[in-house]
Amino acid sequence: MGGLVVRRATREDVPAIVALLTDDPLGAARETHGDHAAYLTAFDAIDADPAHELVVLEDEGEVIGTLQLTLLPGLSRHGALRAQIEAVRIASSRRGQGLGEGLFQWAIDESRRRGAVLVQLTTDASREGAQRFYERLGFVASHVGMKLPL
Amino acid sequence: MGGLVVRRATREDVPAIVALLTDDPLGAARETHGDHAAYLTAFDAIDADPAHELVVLEDEGEVIGTLQLTLLPGLSRHGALRAQIEAVRIASSRRGQGLGEGLFQWAIDESRRRGAVLVQLTTDASREGAQRFYERLGFVASHVGMKLPL
């Protein structure tokens, strides 16, 4: 990954992370530019709980990717610890350069280091490229992801 | 729901919950009877973190259902709090009696009470009946759920 670094996000990274979430066909419709208060409140909740690791991929001081890793204890599968990945983004100008693979390799290694026996994620069914990317990393599309808005 | 109660699980419920996890076509292959040490360790991790609520559905002192609700903070969707449901089971002898609807209504109400803006879950693609059940509750099958064993 050359001079690239995966590091824990700080409060100062929140505007850059929100910009990445927005720089996306689905994200553009549901994120806002401008007021970051709600995002900062959520950042503080994520940052306060060691179950979560919100990270950024940085290239020479520029934030070009992000994901959130969460460790989830459960009783299933002999009390297995699971790792879950959410909110994955690579800057649109930097896609197709293998940066996602590097960020995911960090996440998979970190999940293993923390004792998880599997990594799980869901991807919007319309993101066909994303699904192929995850399959290349070894993920199996065994489940249906369902959501209920409240 | 008559004399039915949804209540927080205790350590003493772990054997009954493991029995429910095992009483299932997929669970039978991956859970064990007998030694509960790993399940108790996982129970303690779940119970210690207020982000998780492991509950049982009880009918006159008998545990006949279970699910785990987890509240997940994230930056996406304006810093939205999500609720995630895992490890859902109703005793095989009690299915088809509307008990799952009652247990889910509790989970949906509790998710809303805690400030979640959506409830998410994944279901194994082979569980067609489960997917129809969730669709009746209003869940939309918008995502692909992917898993990577470590």
Side-chain angles (χ1 to χ4, degrees):
Chain A
M1 301 190 53
L4 296 163
V5 174
V6 177
R7 64 166 174 80
R8 194 140 185 150
T10 67
R11 230 166 179 267
E12 288 65 41
D13 294 315
V14 169
I17 297 171
V18 174
L20 286 170
L21 294 175
T22 310
D23 176 25
D24 175 84
L26 297 177
R30 63 191 178 209
E31 309 297 342
T32 47
H33 301 272
D35 180 19
H36 286 135
Y39 294 101
L40 287 169
T41 301
F43 175 84
D44 292 341
I46 296 165
D47 197 48
D49 186 341
H52 304 292
E53 296 186 59
L54 177 64
V55 300
V56 292
L57 174 65
E58 198 176 59
D59 183 14
E60 305 199 354
E62 188 189 358
V63 171
I64 58 168
T66 184
L67 64 73
Q68 180 177 336
L69 183 67
T70 298
L71 279 293
L72 293 172
L75 290 194
S76 298
R77 302 172 190 239
H78 307 181
L81 187 68
R82 293 160 187 241
Q84 181 162 307
I85 296 175
E86 299 244 16
V88 180
R89 294 290 188 284
I90 297 289
S92 57
S93 61
R94 303 297 297 270
R95 287 177 205 151
Q97 302 172 27
L99 299 169
E101 281 83 350
L103 184 56
F104 259 77
Q105 203 52 61
W106 173 87
I108 291 166
D109 291 347
E110 178 69 3
S111 299
R112 197 178 278 118
R113 188 187 71 76
R114 292 191 64 173
V117 306
L118 67 83
V119 184
Q120 64 186 23
L121 59 80
T122 70
T123 182
D124 193 285
S126 69
R127 297 190 195 273
E128 291 179 21
Q131 188 177 332
R132 285 195 301 272
F133 167 76
Y134 296 130
E135 285 171 340
R136 282 200 302 275
L137 293 172
F139 284 85
V140 177
S142 53
H143 283 61
V144 178
M146 308 189 75
K147 295 190 195 286
L148 172 73
L150 295 181
Chain B
M1 298 188 57
L4 296 163
V5 175
V6 178
R7 64 166 174 79
R8 192 140 186 150
T10 67
R11 231 166 177 266
E12 288 64 42
D13 295 314
V14 169
I17 297 170
V18 174
L20 287 171
L21 295 175
T22 311
D23 176 25
D24 175 83
L26 297 176
R30 62 191 180 209
E31 308 297 343
T32 48
H33 300 273
D35 181 18
H36 286 135
Y39 294 101
L40 287 168
T41 300
F43 175 84
D44 292 341
I46 296 165
D47 197 48
D49 186 342
H52 303 292
E53 295 188 57
L54 177 64
V55 300
V56 292
L57 174 65
E58 198 175 60
D59 183 14
E60 305 198 355
E62 189 190 359
V63 170
I64 58 169
T66 184
L67 63 74
Q68 180 178 337
L69 183 68
T70 298
L71 279 292
L72 295 171
L75 290 195
S76 299
R77 301 172 191 240
H78 307 181
L81 187 68
R82 293 160 187 241
Q84 181 162 305
I85 295 176
E86 299 244 16
V88 180
R89 294 290 187 284
I90 297 289
S92 56
S93 62
R94 302 296 296 270
R95 287 178 204 151
Q97 301 172 27
L99 298 169
E101 279 83 350
L103 184 55
F104 259 77
Q105 203 51 62
W106 174 88
I108 291 165
D109 290 347
E110 178 69 3
S111 299
R112 197 178 278 119
R113 189 187 70 77
R114 292 191 64 173
V117 306
L118 67 83
V119 184
Q120 64 185 24
L121 59 82
T122 70
T123 182
D124 193 285
S126 70
R127 297 190 195 274
E128 291 177 22
Q131 188 177 332
R132 285 195 300 273
F133 167 76
Y134 297 130
E135 284 170 341
R136 284 199 301 275
L137 292 172
F139 283 85
V140 177
S142 54
H143 284 62
V144 179
M146 308 189 75
K147 295 190 195 284
L148 173 73
L150 295 181

